[in-house]
Amino acid sequence: MPELPEVETVRRGLQPVMEGAKILNAEARRPDLRFPFQPDFVARLKGQVVTGLGRRAKYLMADLASGDVLLMHLGMSGSFRVIKPDNDVAPGAFHYPRGKDSAHDHVLFRMSSGADIVFNDPRRFGYMKVIARAALDEEPLLRGLGPEPLGNEFDAAMLARSCAGKTTSLKAALLDQRVVAGLGNIYVCEALHRSHLSPRRIAATLSTKAGQRKGVAGGEPTDHAKRLVGAIHTVLNDAIKAGGSSLRDHRQTSGELGYFQHSFRVYDREGEKCTTPRCGGTINRFTQSGRSTFWCPKCQK
């Protein structure tokens, strides 16, 4: 499933043709994706100007002049294709020819910018929903999401407070969207390796017991927490610059491949040598909470 860098890459690809433009026409070519479309889904979109295009965790959020927000999730195989009057956008160095099977083109937006935006989703795990902005705080899909990992409020102290007392593994805690929003299996594995922390480490070790005795809510952040937050920032920013990772279904809106997978240090590198200088370890894989975890037992403690 696309993670935060992939969704942010898609947002940046859609922004030039969507933000500030009017939705001249909208089509929902089937009654549902993962969930049924609302009966007034198309009516609430037609004629509306997209005043802003943002992201919350793994969701795309298009603000409309009406006060509504179009919430969009890529699911497992969803992708957007931007078609301009001169046909398609120019392919880049990592261009991947998209399928021409229109049977999977489920939603279309015709924009006043001159672009058609097509949402294609073979597996139909993606979804879209129009929500009044005033009701976003009560939206079940968004309620309870933790802080954005690239936001100003996410720091070592916040992560330590969130993990204080947790007996789950550090990896499980980072995948919990209530602790931090938008992280997934790939980038958690990568951040843990960069911070030299074991995915099996108990999450509570990010918070000092001394801090808890002093009455600090949730304890104080350990050096582990500080290293981990720095690694999360670095790996996400590097991945966004690289256009995300192209594994299986993910493509940018232009059809180009993201290429952060060429910079993976542990993910999908089982049996290869660890890239940490002077480590000499070998990348291992094991199943954790039903997902593959890649790590170096020698330098991640």
Side-chain angles (χ1 to χ4, degrees), residues 30-253:
R30 55 176 298 113
D32 60 5
L33 290 172
R34 184 174 179 180
F35 308 121
F37 286 108
Q38 298 149 295
D40 59 351
F41 176 78
V42 168
R44 291 172 72 174
L45 296 177
K46 288 180 67 172
Q48 291 300 318
V49 173
V50 178
T51 58
L53 186 63
R55 179 192 53 75
R56 176 71 171 108
K58 301 176 186 179
Y59 292 95
L60 292 167
M61 301 176 68
D63 280 288
L64 307 178
S66 62
D68 283 337
V69 176
L70 171 60
L71 192 70
M72 299 173 280
H73 196 285
L74 296 173
M76 296 180 68
S77 62
S79 65
F80 285 94
R81 184 171 74 253
V82 176
I83 304 173
K84 294 183 177 180
D86 55 354
N87 200 7
D88 235 329
V89 294
F94 293 89
H95 179 260
Y96 181 89
R98 288 175 178 271
K100 300 297 183 182
D101 188 353
S102 61
H104 302 308
D105 288 348
H106 302 311
V107 183
L108 180 142
F109 305 117
R110 180 149 290 154
M111 308 300 298
S112 64
S113 61
D116 285 351
I117 299 171
V118 181
F119 182 67
N120 183 287
D121 189 1
R123 302 186 193 180
R124 300 200 303 274
F125 279 106
Y127 47 92
M128 297 186 187
K129 185 176 182 180
V130 182
I131 308 164
R133 173 154 284 282
L136 279 182
D137 289 343
E138 301 304 317
E139 171 53 44
L141 294 171
L142 300 175
R143 191 171 56 229
L145 285 177
E148 287 288 320
L150 294 178
N152 292 332
E153 64 177 347
F154 181 71
D155 57 16
M158 169 171 279
L159 184 59
R161 288 194 299 271
S162 297
C163 290
K166 285 187 178 294
T167 58
T168 58
S169 71
L170 186 50
K171 185 186 178 190
L174 293 175
L175 289 175
D176 185 344
Q177 298 299 292
R178 297 167 296 180
V179 172
V180 56
L183 290 181
N185 193 40
I186 294 174
Y187 298 107
V188 168
C189 287
E190 290 295 306
L192 287 172
H193 182 259
R194 293 188 185 211
S195 57
H196 305 298
L197 297 176
S198 168
R200 289 190 169 109
R201 172 181 283 273
I202 300 301
T205 60
L206 297 186
S207 175
T208 63
K209 294 180 180 178
Q212 294 172 355
R213 287 197 296 271
K214 292 176 185 176
V216 178
E220 296 174 342
T222 63
D223 288 340
H224 301 318
K226 296 172 185 176
R227 289 206 316 267
L228 180 56
V229 167
I232 290 171
H233 287 160
T234 299
V235 75
L236 291 180
N237 281 317
D238 285 352
I240 290 170
K241 289 177 184 177
S245 300
S246 294
L247 299 176
R248 297 188 180 140
D249 300 298
H250 175 66
R251 302 287 183 271
Q252 299 183 48
T253 55

Side-chain angles (χ1 to χ4, degrees), residues 243-265:
S245 300
S246 294
L247 299 176
R248 297 188 180 140
D249 300 298
H250 175 66
R251 302 287 183 271
Q252 299 183 48
T253 55
S254 63
E256 294 177 15
L257 294 174
Y259 53 95
F260 186 72
Q261 69 272 13
H262 301 301
S263 301
F264 286 161
R265 297 188 181 185

Side-chain angles (χ1 to χ4, degrees), residues 1-23:
M1 183 176 292
E3 300 182 25
L4 186 154
E6 287 76 53
V7 178
E8 177 62 20
T9 298
V10 171
R11 186 193 72 80
R12 295 182 183 190
L14 292 176
Q15 192 172 28
V17 296
M18 201 169 191
E19 197 168 78
K22 179 184 289 187
I23 303 174

